[in-house]
Amino acid sequence: MIYDQNYQIIPFFFLFTIIFSSSLRLFQKYWKEFRNLDPHVQIQFVSRVVSCINALVITLAAAYVLLTDDKLYANKLVYTSPILTIAYNLVFGYLLYDFLCMLWYRNILFDWQFVLHHLVSCIACFISTNYGYFAFIAAIRSLSEASTLFVNMRWFLLSFNKKNTQIYSINGLVAFITFGLVRIVALIPIWRSFFQFFSYPQWNSIHFTYKLLCIGTSVPLDMLNIYWFYRICSIVSKTYKLKTV
C-alpha cells in the first residue's frame, strides 16, 4: 500500500455535508430568487452547487499534476503523490456524501445512472489512492469533472428561466465542447495508455483483480459518458434548429 490516508475521506464527507446544509439555509434566508423556486428545485440546486465545488477542486488538482509532475509521465502505470491522494480522497468523501444525500432525498435526487457513476468512481479512487495503479489514466479521467461545471450551469440558468439569454447559449456551446474534449476525446489517450501498459515491467506485478476492475469500471463509465454526450448533442442540435427556423 503506497499511501494509507483513507481517514481523509471522513472529514471531506462532513465538509460537503456542512456545505450543503449551510448553503441551503443561507440561500433560503438571503436570496429572494432562490426562495421563489420550488422546494424540490432548491434541493437540486444546492446539490449541484456542492457538485460544482467538488468538480472545480478535482479539475484544478488533476490539471496541476498533469502539467507539472514529470514523475507521473515517467511512471504512468504505478504512481501517486500527496496531491493526487488528497484529491481522490476528496472525491471519495464527496461521492459518499452525495450517495447518502440521494438516499435522504430519494424522491428528488435519486438516479440509478448517478449511483452507477458513483460506484465506479469509488472503486477507481480506492485503487488509485491505495495502490497508485493506472495513475495516468486516473489523472486524465479526473479532468472530466471540468464539464460538470458547465452542465450544472445550464441547469441553474434553466431554473431561473434564462433559456433565451445569450449567456445560456454561450454556456451550452462551452458545455458541449468541454464535455467532448474531457470525456470523449480523452478516451483516446486513456485506452492507448492502457494497451501500452501491457509492455511495462510493472504490468505483471499488478494482480489480475485490479486489471479486471480497471476494465470493468472503465467500460461502463465510458458508455455512460458517450450516452450523456449523445443527449448533449441532441439538445445542442434542437437548439440550433430552433434558432434557424
Side-chain angles (χ1 to χ4, degrees):
M1 189 172 292
I2 298 175
Y3 281 91
D4 188 15
Q5 298 183 0
N6 295 133
Y7 64 85
Q8 295 173 347
I9 296 171
I10 303 303
F12 283 136
F13 162 75
F14 282 111
L15 174 63
F16 285 118
T17 303
I18 292 171
I19 292 174
F20 175 86
S21 58
S22 59
S23 296
L24 182 60
R25 291 188 178 90
L26 288 173
F27 289 169
Q28 290 173 336
K29 185 175 182 180
Y30 297 106
W31 192 357
K32 180 180 179 181
E33 289 80 4
F34 183 83
R35 290 198 301 270
N36 293 333
L37 296 174
D38 180 85
H40 286 191
V41 176
Q42 291 181 6
I43 297 298
Q44 295 180 62
F45 191 101
V46 177
S47 175
R48 288 177 181 269
V49 168
V50 180
S51 171
C52 285
I53 294 172
N54 170 73
L56 179 61
V57 174
I58 190 62
T59 299
L60 292 176
Y64 177 80
V65 171
L66 287 166
L67 291 173
T68 65
D69 196 341
D70 294 333
K71 293 181 180 179
L72 173 64
Y73 293 91
N75 303 276
K76 289 185 176 181
L77 180 55
V78 183
Y79 177 72
T80 192
S81 70
I83 293 177
L84 289 175
T85 299
I86 293 173
Y88 295 147
N89 280 328
L90 180 140
V91 173
F92 218 139
Y94 167 76
L95 294 172
L96 177 60
Y97 138 80
D98 198 47
F99 177 69
L100 293 178
C101 200
M102 282 193 289
L103 293 180
W104 186 264
Y105 297 104
R106 54 187 174 275
N107 294 328
I108 305 172
L109 300 176
F110 192 85
D111 188 324
W112 280 108
Q113 291 184 29
F114 287 110
V115 172
L116 174 61
H117 173 272
H118 287 11
L119 177 61
V120 168
S121 299
C122 281
I123 295 173
C125 286
F126 177 81
I127 294 174
S128 298
T129 301
N130 290 277
Y131 301 99
Y133 296 157
F134 313 107
F136 181 72
I137 291 177
I140 292 290
R141 287 199 180 279
S142 296
L143 284 179
S144 67
E145 288 302 315
S147 63
T148 300
L149 298 170
F150 303 103
V151 172
N152 282 340
M153 179 58 69
R154 174 183 178 274
W155 190 94
F156 294 148
L157 293 171
L158 286 174
S159 297
F160 289 117
N161 298 316
K162 302 294 184 180
K163 186 175 182 178
N164 296 320
T165 61
Q166 186 176 14
I167 190 173
Y168 179 85
S169 300
I170 294 173
N171 179 78
L173 180 60
V174 175
F176 171 72
I177 295 173
T178 305
F179 197 102
L181 288 175
V182 299
R183 292 182 184 258
I184 305 302
V185 176
L187 296 179
I188 298 173
I190 285 173
W191 284 103
R192 181 177 61 189
S193 296
F194 179 80
F195 289 113
Q196 288 176 343
F197 290 158
F198 294 171
S199 62
Y200 280 41
Q202 306 102 313
W203 177 257
N204 292 328
S205 65
I206 298 177
H207 195 278
F208 176 76
T209 301
Y210 297 110
K211 298 174 185 177
L212 185 62
L213 283 173
C214 180
I215 298 174
T217 56
S218 295
V219 171
L221 187 62
D222 292 342
M223 292 177 64
L224 195 58
N225 282 329
I226 291 172
Y227 168 71
W228 283 341
F229 189 61
Y230 167 77
R231 290 182 60 182
I232 292 175
C233 288
S234 299
I235 293 171
V236 172
S237 178
K238 290 178 181 177
T239 302
Y240 177 77
K241 288 179 180 178
L242 287 173
K243 288 186 175 183
T244 55
V245 172

